[in-house]
């Protein structure tokens, strides 16, 4: 674990001591090396449930895919930001990459944490660089509103979590995940216990986000610059899912009854946010609402607490992280050329940028969960386990899949097909950097078709 | 054109309506001229930008800006709870949650009772 964490902390000297000519090359290369080293975690050699452990950090089959995703994403974020940060003075560029690197450090420590309190502190700590990125480098005036929504929704959800964790510490004497998994089941009967149950989960449900408390997400995703959108969509939402999976161990047997409202909100949210996607005019807003839709499926899968549900949730989280980040990168390429996120403006791009149309095509097919991509595998496992939970859920999940296909195709056809607007000039050709970015997003998704065992969690 | 007769069941197009050209009040003429001047100024502005060989950026369309602003950022100030919007909000946002809770709860409780009574046959071979 320290093999990756210390190089990530060493990114800070790399950023501040590189000469301006080599800043982006050096940081991209450094973070790419960290990403390649982190791939070593995927080889599972440990006999126990946890590997690569020291006193405070460890990896296990749940956190390993998410850690590798986080490490993989940092070079991609730096690649994507290169263009729009270029006009700024050097120290501000360094500050931007510092924020990305500090976000990375907090995320690695969050996913690798073995104590719930450390996870909580890192969970909160990731809010700060993200808030600074959204409010300082966003493009429209609405970014202040977006930052406020983002910060206060997450904080309001996670303050009950702190109280709940302290109560848990008091009743079980420890908050280490290694020990909690073996503790006696808690007798949870009174109303106070039910409020404790809700307090444990609300923070993660807001972060996921669950349908009722999802308002921060479209604002934050749309107003953030591309690296902010990428990290938000790909990793920060998964922090919520990961936290939920860790907490669910402790929360039986109340979860059988109390999970109903949240499962229902998650399922209904799939349909509602999918339908909202069909009416969007803003490109990034559509991708943001599709993130809410997919995460609703993940939340449903986690809340039914079955092995298939957890496995499907992890697979869908990893696949959705890569694909959603890819879609945000593509939306950013359109934005950098036309300076507008309106979908009807950036039309007919297939004739102008044929290779990019391939990336749009693959990314949209992945978003609509085409077999044999892992998106489908995750969704199928979650749909199956929810069908087992109650056969009536198939109406909701099936309709949700249909609507997902609808808006993904709408996104593709709107942006690629049709006549290009005649008054758009000066669409600079695609840089190699942008193609490389898309390849590095989509090739892992395609490779994961061949070895999904890497993502399966405990179904080793 | 003075002997123009419309086709059977058709309406006379506006450009062939004699009221468009005769007996126009000076006020009407003036407003029409002002509107034409505005339109041609806007069109000239657009064509100058369109044909400018050094233009690299997008031609800004204020109507598109207003439209996207209205559709994305200006929704809540113009929202008013009317019977129709309350009905729609309730029908799609509140009622389904309760209906779904009822459906899932009764279905799973029936299954739980059958399991407790011992006569639940698994209809499908699902591992989990």
């Amino acid at each position: 674990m320290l093999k990756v964490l210390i190089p990530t902390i060493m990114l800070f000297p790399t950023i501040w001591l590189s000469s301006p000519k080599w800043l982006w090359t050096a940081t991209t290369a450094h973070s790419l090396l960290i990403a390649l080293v982190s791939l070593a975690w995927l080889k599972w050699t440990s006999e126990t449930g946890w590997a690569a452990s020291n006193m405070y950090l460890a990896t296990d089959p749940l956190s390993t895919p998410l850690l590798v995703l986080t490490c993989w994403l940092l070079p991609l974020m730096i690649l994507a930001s290169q263009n729009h940060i270029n006009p700024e003075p050097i120290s501000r560029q360094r500050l931007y990459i510092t924020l990305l690197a500090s976000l990375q450090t907090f995320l690695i420590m969050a996913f690798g944490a073995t104590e719930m309190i450390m996870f909580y502190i890192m969970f909160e700590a990731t809010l700060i660089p993200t808030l600074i990125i959204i409010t300082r480098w966003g493009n429209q005036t609405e970014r202040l509103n977006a930052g406020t929504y983002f910060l206060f929704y997450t904080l309001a959800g996670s303050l009950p979590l702190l109280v709940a964790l302290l109560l848990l510490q008091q009743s079980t004497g420890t908050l280490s995940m290694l020990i909690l998994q073996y503790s006696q089941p808690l007798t949870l009967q009174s109303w106070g216990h039910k409020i404790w149950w809700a307090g444990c989960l609300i923070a993660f449900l807001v972060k996921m986000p669950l349908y009722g408390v999802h308002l921060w997400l479209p604002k934050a995703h749309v107003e953030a610059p591309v690296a902010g959108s990428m990290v938000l969509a790909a990793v920060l939402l998964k922090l919520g899912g990961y936290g939920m999976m860790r907490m669910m161990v402790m929360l039986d047997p109340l979860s059988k009854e109390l999970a109903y409202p949240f499962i229902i909100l998650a399922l209904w949210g799939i349909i509602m946010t999918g339908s909202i996607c069909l009416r969007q005019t803003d490109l990034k807003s559509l991708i943001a609402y599709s993130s809410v839709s997919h995460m609703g499926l993940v939340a449903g899968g986690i809340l039914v607490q079955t092995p298939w549900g957890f496995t499907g949730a992890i697979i869908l989280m990893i696949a959705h992280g890569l694909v959603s980040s890819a879609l945000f990168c593509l939306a950013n390429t359109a934005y950098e050329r036309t300076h507008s996120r309106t979908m009807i403006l950036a039309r007919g791009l297939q004739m102008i940028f044929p290779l990019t149309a391939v990336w749009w095509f693959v990314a949209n097919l992945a978003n609509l969960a085409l077999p044999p991509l892992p998106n489908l595998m995750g969704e199928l496992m979650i749909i199956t386990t929810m069908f087992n939970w109650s056969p009536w859920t198939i109406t909701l999940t099936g309709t949700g899949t249909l609507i997902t296909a609808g808006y993904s195709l709408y996104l593709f056809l709107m942006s690629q097909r049709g006549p290009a607007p005649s008054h758009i000039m000066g669409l600079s050709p695609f840089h190699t950097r942008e193609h490389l970015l898309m390849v590095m997003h989509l090739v892992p998704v395609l490779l994961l078709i061949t070895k999904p065992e890497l993502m399966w969690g405990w179904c080793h | 054109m003075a002997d123009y007769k419309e086709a059977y069941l058709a309406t006379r197009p506006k450009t062939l309506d004699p009221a468009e050209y005769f007996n126009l009040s000076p006020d009407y003429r003036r407003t029409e001229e002002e509107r034409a001047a505005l339109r041609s100024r806007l069109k000239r502005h657009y064509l100058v930008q369109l044909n400018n060989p050094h233009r690299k950026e997008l031609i800004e369309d204020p109507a598109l800006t207003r439209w996207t602003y209205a559709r994305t950022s200006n929704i809540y100030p113009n929202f008013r709870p009317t019977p129709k919007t309350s009905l729609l909000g309730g029908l799609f946002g509140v009622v389904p949650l309760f209906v779904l809770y009822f459906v899932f709860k009764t279905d799973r409780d029936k299954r739980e009772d059958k399991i407790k009574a011992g006569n639940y046959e698994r209809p499908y071979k699902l591992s989990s």
Side-chain angles (χ1 to χ4, degrees), chain B residues 20-56:
Chain B
E20 285 288 308
Y21 303 103
F22 307 116
N23 308 326
L24 293 172
S25 68
D27 258 344
Y28 181 79
R29 279 184 190 247
R30 201 186 13 208
T31 52
E32 281 303 310
E33 277 160 23
E34 279 168 13
R35 283 184 200 139
L38 210 62
R39 270 199 307 268
S40 53
R41 195 179 313 137
L42 286 171
K43 183 166 180 180
R44 185 180 163 75
H45 181 63
Y46 176 75
L47 285 175
V48 160
Q49 284 178 302
L50 185 67
N51 296 316
N52 177 9
H54 301 297
R55 172 177 68 93
K56 286 202 288 277

Side-chain angles (χ1 to χ4, degrees), chain A residues 280-302:
Chain A
Q280 285 301 317
T281 54
D282 184 334
L283 188 55
K284 281 175 85 166
S285 193
L286 197 151
I287 306 172
Y289 274 108
S290 100
S291 281
V292 180
S293 181
H294 288 285
M295 285 296 115
L297 208 49
V298 171
I302 298 176

Side-chain angles (χ1 to χ4, degrees), chain B:
Chain B
M1 279 280 128
D3 54 352
Y4 173 77
K5 288 265 177 344
E6 303 94 345
Y8 179 56
L9 289 182
T11 50
R12 180 175 279 244
K14 200 154 174 283
T15 45
L16 290 178
D17 187 0
E20 285 288 308
Y21 303 103
F22 307 116
N23 308 326
L24 293 172
S25 68
D27 258 344
Y28 181 79
R29 279 184 190 247
R30 201 186 13 208
T31 52
E32 281 303 310
E33 277 160 23
E34 279 168 13
R35 283 184 200 139
L38 210 62
R39 270 199 307 268
S40 53
R41 195 179 313 137
L42 286 171
K43 183 166 180 180
R44 185 180 163 75
H45 181 63
Y46 176 75
L47 285 175
V48 160
Q49 284 178 302
L50 185 67
N51 296 316
N52 177 9
H54 301 297
R55 172 177 68 93
K56 286 202 288 277
E57 62 277 339
L58 204 52
I59 298 182
E60 192 213 327
D61 181 2
L64 189 65
T65 319
R66 281 196 301 264
W67 182 73
T68 47
Y69 178 72
R71 278 186 69 119
T72 57
S73 327
N74 206 21
I75 305 182
Y76 187 63
N78 297 323
F79 173 74
R80 210 185 35 189
T82 66
K84 174 180 167 191
T85 60
S86 313
L87 181 71
L88 281 175
L91 203 59
F92 283 98
V94 176
V95 164
L97 303 178
F98 290 101
V99 165
L100 287 171
Y101 180 79
F102 177 66
V103 166
F104 292 149
K105 197 96 174 63
T106 42
D107 180 53
R108 281 177 60 83
D109 286 346
K110 262 197 285 197
R111 197 199 289 184
E112 184 74 22
D113 292 336
K114 274 212 244 167
I115 293 178
K116 286 205 173 111
N119 50 8
Y120 177 61
E121 292 162 17
R122 291 186 176 277
Y124 319 103
K125 294 190 176 59
L126 283 173
S127 78
S128 191

Side-chain angles (χ1 to χ4, degrees), chain A residues 111-397:
Chain A
F111 282 124
T114 50
E115 287 266 343
M116 288 303 293
I117 285 284
M118 177 159 174
F119 174 70
Y120 175 78
I121 296 176
M122 291 304 142
F123 180 80
E124 297 297 304
T126 56
L127 291 180
I128 300 171
T130 320
L131 179 71
I132 301 178
I133 291 176
I134 295 177
T135 50
R136 170 67 184 76
W137 274 279
N139 283 314
Q140 271 79 37
T141 52
E142 286 90 15
R143 67 185 190 267
L144 301 170
N145 201 6
T148 314
Y149 264 70
F150 168 65
L151 185 69
F152 285 106
Y153 261 76
T154 319
L155 279 181
S158 45
L159 206 51
L161 177 63
L162 181 61
V163 175
L165 284 178
L166 294 174
L167 281 173
L168 187 59
Q169 158 86 4
Q170 203 169 29
S171 65
T172 58
T174 175
L175 276 179
S176 168
M177 293 182 214
L178 304 160
I179 303 179
L180 279 180
Q181 56 189 351
Y182 298 118
S183 64
Q184 301 292 343
L186 305 159
T187 50
L188 303 166
Q189 273 156 5
S190 66
W191 275 100
H193 287 134
K194 294 192 176 140
I195 297 180
W196 174 80
W197 185 95
C200 282
L201 281 187
I202 295 265
F204 304 121
L205 290 170
V206 168
K207 193 84 175 170
M208 279 221 72
L210 189 66
Y211 172 55
V213 290
H214 69 289
L215 279 182
W216 64 272
L217 187 136
K219 291 189 195 289
H221 274 76
V222 166
E223 302 304 329
V226 62
S229 288
M230 284 166 73
V231 77
L232 264 172
V235 186
L236 290 177
L237 301 188
K238 288 40 179 187
L239 260 182
Y242 173 75
M244 256 168 72
M245 286 204 235
R246 291 291 188 208
M247 285 306 296
M248 291 305 261
V249 170
M250 302 311 307
L251 298 175
D252 261 336
L254 272 182
S255 305
K256 242 165 53 103
E257 300 301 317
L258 288 180
Y260 275 85
F262 300 112
I263 299 180
I264 290 168
L265 269 173
L267 287 175
W268 188 242
I270 303 174
I271 298 184
M272 289 300 284
T273 50
S275 317
I276 294 178
C277 277
L278 289 168
R279 294 245 327 153
Q280 285 301 317
T281 54
D282 184 334
L283 188 55
K284 281 175 85 166
S285 193
L286 197 151
I287 306 172
Y289 274 108
S290 100
S291 281
V292 180
S293 181
H294 288 285
M295 285 296 115
L297 208 49
V298 171
I302 298 176
L303 284 166
V304 293
Q305 299 179 286
T306 59
W308 271 37
F310 272 37
T311 310
I314 310 173
I315 300 179
L316 189 54
M317 286 203 287
I318 303 292
H320 169 263
L322 286 166
V323 168
S324 200
S325 179
L327 280 170
F328 274 116
C329 288
L330 285 168
N332 183 54
T333 59
Y335 180 75
E336 279 175 5
R337 282 163 177 77
T338 55
H339 290 289
S340 162
R341 290 195 298 266
T342 316
M343 270 174 40
I344 55 178
L345 201 54
R347 268 177 307 166
L349 296 179
Q350 184 169 10
M351 281 293 121
I352 311 176
F353 300 124
L355 182 56
T356 314
V358 174
W359 308 135
W360 274 102
F361 191 49
V362 176
N364 275 309
L365 287 180
N367 204 16
L368 64 84
L370 188 80
L373 293 167
N375 299 65
L376 177 80
M377 296 305 141
E379 284 195 12
L380 214 52
M381 294 185 95
I382 297 181
I383 293 178
T384 313
T385 188
M386 302 222 68
F387 182 70
N388 197 12
W389 184 78
S390 166
W392 294 94
T393 56
I394 197 103
T395 55
L396 295 169
T397 48

